[in-house]
Amino acid sequence: MPKLLNLIKNPGVQIGMLVVFLVVVSAGIWGLYQTQVPPPQPIQFPHKIHVGLEIPCLYCHPGALRQASAGLPTEQKCWACHGQLKKYFQPPLPVAQWPPELQKLATYVQTNKPIDWVPVYQVPDFVHFNHRPHIAAGLNCENCHGDMSKKTVATIEQTVNMGWCINCHKAKTETDPVKRAKLLDCGTCHY
Ligand code: HEC
Ligand code: HEC
Ligand code: HEC
Ligand code: HEC
Ligand code: HEC
């Protein structure tokens, strides 16, 4: 113990410790920053406008009801509306005069190239997440993804880690020990 105290009194060691401390803190802050910043998307898709038009989430993410993954829309789904909006077609407005993000959409449609949306929410491969039981249990999209009616592209609202899953599974099964045992069982999420 005294040896360690003497060592800590050594100015060189103190500076070393300070440097390590600063590196750890800034790495932590950078990590946090990274999780809050949405990844760049091929098109700045405005959720705000579309949710405001009362287009249901499930119109663009239909898998959330019945499948594991919610799915992301193809340009054909976008074009079902955007290929006939009066604002751009009656009378026809040259694509060059459309808003930039819609020009990009038109290019994807013309070239028939899929839009490579960048995933925002993701669990690692060794975890099985399925939307279906969650929606069936009455949860809303907002419970896990926040209020999309205020966003353009999706941002991450939740650090998707095991603690987050487990905490909610505990909270939802306070009065049901059998269900709790099932929802906390490692094999439910890892198999
Ligand atoms: C159900 C119809 C519908 C679907 C589906 C749809 N949109 Fe829209 N979108 C609209 C309407 C209506 C507007 C508002 C009209 C406008 O200002 O251009 C709009 C606005 C936009 C804008 C903003 C344009 C501006 O003024 O800056 C973008 C960008 C956009 N949509 C992209 C997309 C993309 C990409 C998809 C597919 C992932 C899509 N939309 C799917 C109806 C739709
Ligand atoms: C219990 C929490 C929870 C609820 C409720 C939930 N999600 Fe998710 N969502 C997730 C998680 C976790 C992922 C990451 C899944 C993965 O990596 O496989 C995800 C992924 C997604 C994705 C990414 C693409 C994909 O195919 O999975 C979309 C889109 C999505 N959710 C939309 C929705 C919509 C729309 C609703 C409401 C109908 C909804 N989610 C409800 C937790 C939730
Ligand atoms: C007109 C189509 C459309 C509608 C309606 C729509 N979305 Fe999306 N959503 C998209 C597109 C396109 C993306 C990919 C770009 C992005 O990540 O923002 C996306 C991405 C997402 C993501 C992130 C997916 C990922 O990669 O992890 C979530 C979560 C999500 N949407 C939830 C919702 C919810 C909740 C609603 C309803 C309140 C909704 N969306 C309505 C088109 C739509
Ligand atoms: C906001 C609350 C909430 C969050 C967050 C949440 N869950 Fe759930 N989960 C539930 C509820 C509620 C059920 C359905 C329980 C029932 O059967 O009534 C459920 C069911 C499940 C099931 C199905 C169990 C079965 O019946 O076979 C799996 C698997 C699962 N969750 C995995 C996850 C994973 C993985 C995460 C994190 C990435 C997660 N959940 C996050 C609330 C949540
Ligand atoms: C409700 C779903 C759920 C249950 C139940 C669950 N896990 Fe996880 N687990 C996750 C998710 C999501 C991740 C990935 C995110 C993370 O690393 O926190 C994960 C990650 C892990 C990891 C990797 C940790 C890391 O830091 O990379 C291990 C090991 C693990 N789980 C073991 C277990 C064990 C052991 C149990 C049973 C006591 C268990 N899990 C129960 C959802 C679950």
Side-chain angles (χ1 to χ4, degrees):
M1 234 6 224
K3 260 190 186 159
L4 184 65
L5 279 180
N6 283 338
L7 197 61
I8 292 173
K9 281 189 197 131
N10 176 323
V13 173
Q14 283 178 354
I15 290 173
M17 283 166 60
L18 184 67
V19 168
V20 169
F21 175 75
L22 287 176
V23 166
V24 168
V25 169
S26 40
I29 292 172
W30 174 243
L32 195 64
Y33 174 73
Q34 286 287 296
T35 60
Q36 304 302 316
V37 174
Q41 295 291 349
I43 296 177
Q44 289 293 302
F45 171 78
H47 270 91
K48 232 180 346 213
I49 295 180
H50 296 86
V51 176
L53 289 165
E54 294 184 12
I55 307 172
C57 311
L58 290 173
Y59 179 78
C60 291
H61 307 298
L65 207 52
R66 280 179 226 98
Q67 293 166 9
S69 70
L72 293 170
T74 60
E75 67 253 43
Q76 280 75 29
K77 190 161 267 183
C78 315
W79 206 245
C81 286
H82 281 277
Q84 52 181 17
L85 292 184
K86 283 200 176 112
K87 189 169 164 187
Y88 302 101
F89 291 98
Q90 291 179 3
L93 185 69
V95 172
Q97 288 171 34
W98 291 12
E101 300 306 306
L102 289 181
Q103 291 186 28
K104 288 188 204 163
L105 175 61
T107 308
Y108 278 105
V109 173
Q110 275 158 16
T111 56
N112 204 16
K113 199 175 133 243
I115 309 175
D116 291 321
W117 302 113
V118 184
V120 181
Y121 286 83
Q122 256 183 324
V123 294
D125 282 347
F126 57 85
V127 178
H128 293 270
F129 177 83
N130 191 329
H131 274 89
R132 189 183 45 179
H134 294 94
I135 305 304
L139 292 176
N140 294 318
C141 315
E142 297 86 79
N143 291 135
C144 299
H145 295 302
D147 185 356
M148 295 301 299
S149 71
K150 299 199 170 63
K151 296 185 199 173
T152 50
V153 292
T155 51
I156 196 109
E157 289 294 307
Q158 289 295 338
T159 310
V160 178
N161 59 25
M162 188 159 120
W164 176 59
C165 316
I166 297 278
N167 284 341
C168 183
H169 284 188
K170 277 190 184 151
K172 296 285 180 192
T173 54
E174 248 151 25
T175 55
D176 189 339
V178 177
K179 198 175 266 184
R180 170 170 285 197
K182 165 86 170 136
L183 287 190
L184 299 188
D185 181 29
C186 318
T188 297
C189 303
H190 304 292
Y191 57 91

